């Protein structure tokens, strides 16, 4: 769905700091942007991301998962909050909840997640620690379509970050996060320009099924 000025309406879901949300807010402020953020939703009332949204004049909603008896009732309330903003795209930007299959299906092909690893490596939590423990020389982040498999949907694009001697979890996480702030607005911009799609279970860019994720950001 589009806003009145023809830009894609995007809803962003956050659980924490919201620095990726901030990158999207900043990108959307450009006159050339093809998307705008119509709503921000958090499952945590105290999330800093909500303050970032308020500062940017974006409407917010809290759907506190601790107030729901199970995942299905939480996801139903979350879907209602999302649909209230009539988005064409839902972006999970540090949204730390596992979603039900019904919920994922409702937004099939129009929900993206950013994950701090070079998927399919290191799905799940503590990716930076696990990358260091595994001794990899390259780490990074991925933006992918959300499907039933946690962190397992088709990857659209990635950023690569060299692991340095002496890196610890915090230093590596910081360098990856800085690159996430380039990656996420880039891919959301592609989606808003109808350049990316989920078709036949694969990610497509510019009319071609991707054989491998695009390297961002040239
Ligand atoms: C990012 O590393 C993102 O990839 C992961 O959670 C972190 C969120 O950071 N899913 P922020 O809230 O955007 O600052």
């Amino acid at each position: 769905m589009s806003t009145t000025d023809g830009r894609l309406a995007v809803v962003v879901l956050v659980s924490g700091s919201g620095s990726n949300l901030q990158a999207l807010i900043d990108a959307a402020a450009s006159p050339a942007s093809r998307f705008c953020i119509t709503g921000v939703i958090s499952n945590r009332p105290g999330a800093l991301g909500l303050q970032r949204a308020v500062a940017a004049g974006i409407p917010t909603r809290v759907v506190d998962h601790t107030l729901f008896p199970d995942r299905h009732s939480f996801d139903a309330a979350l879907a209602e909050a999302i649909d209230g903003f009539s988005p064409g795209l839902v972006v999970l930007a540090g949204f730390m909840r596992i979603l039900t299959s019904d919920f994922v299906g409702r937004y099939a092909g129009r929900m993206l997640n950013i994950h701090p690893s070079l998927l399919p490596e290191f799905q799940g939590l503590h990716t930076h620690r696990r990358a260091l423990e595994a001794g990899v020389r390259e780490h990074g982040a991925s933006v992918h379509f959300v499907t039933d498999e946690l962190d397992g949907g088709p990857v659209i694009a990635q950023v690569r970050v060299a692991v340095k001697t002496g890196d610890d979890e915090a230093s590596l996480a910081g360098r990856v996060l800085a690159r996430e702030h380039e990656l996420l607005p880039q891919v959301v911009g592609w989606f808003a320009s109808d350049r990316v799609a989920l078709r036949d279970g694969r990610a497509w860019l510019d009319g071609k099924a991707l054989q491998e994720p695009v390297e961002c950001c040239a």
Side-chain angles (χ1 to χ4, degrees):
M1 318 230 170
S2 296
T3 54
T4 46
D5 62 3
R7 295 190 295 160
L8 181 78
V10 178
V11 164
V12 185
L13 274 52
V14 298
S15 296
S17 136
S19 68
N20 277 293
L21 165 66
Q22 189 65 55
L24 290 173
I25 290 172
D26 295 345
S30 157
S33 172
R34 303 290 298 269
F35 64 90
C36 66
I37 303 169
T38 54
V40 170
I41 301 171
S42 181
N43 62 309
R44 293 190 187 281
L48 176 58
L50 289 170
Q51 293 177 36
R52 295 180 190 270
V54 170
I58 299 167
T60 61
R61 291 279 306 273
V62 173
V63 184
D64 183 344
H65 65 278
T66 64
L67 303 180
F68 293 85
D70 53 36
R71 283 195 197 282
H72 278 282
S73 55
F74 169 71
D75 280 5
L78 188 59
E80 198 179 322
I82 292 171
D83 295 349
F85 292 119
S86 304
L89 178 67
V90 178
V91 176
L92 310 182
F95 187 66
M96 305 304 283
R97 298 300 300 166
I98 292 174
L99 300 163
T100 58
S101 183
D102 282 354
F103 181 92
V104 170
R106 185 184 186 95
Y107 301 103
R110 54 190 186 105
M111 184 155 62
L112 302 178
N113 180 46
I114 184 158
H115 181 77
S117 80
L118 294 172
L119 291 171
E121 297 295 314
F122 309 121
Q123 296 170 327
L125 296 174
H126 310 303
T127 59
H128 309 300
R129 186 191 313 165
R130 287 159 58 210
L132 289 169
E133 283 167 1
V136 295
R137 297 170 68 178
E138 267 195 325
H139 186 43
S142 308
V143 173
H144 65 94
F145 282 107
V146 177
T147 61
D148 272 347
E149 190 191 343
L150 182 68
D151 301 325
V155 179
I156 302 163
Q158 295 180 324
V159 283
R160 291 178 178 276
V161 170
V163 178
K164 293 183 184 170
T165 313
D167 257 337
D168 60 14
E169 210 175 325
S171 63
L172 184 56
R175 287 207 312 289
V176 171
L177 190 60
R179 299 294 315 280
E180 290 183 38
H181 300 160
E182 296 171 39
L183 174 66
L184 187 57
Q186 173 82 264
V187 178
V188 172
W190 290 343
F191 188 95
S193 306
D194 290 325
R195 293 182 58 190
V196 283
L198 177 68
R199 215 176 294 150
D200 306 327
R202 302 178 72 175
W204 291 60
L205 177 67
D206 295 335
K208 289 186 192 129
L210 290 173
Q211 305 301 320
E212 54 190 28
V214 177
E215 283 227 14
C216 181
C217 303

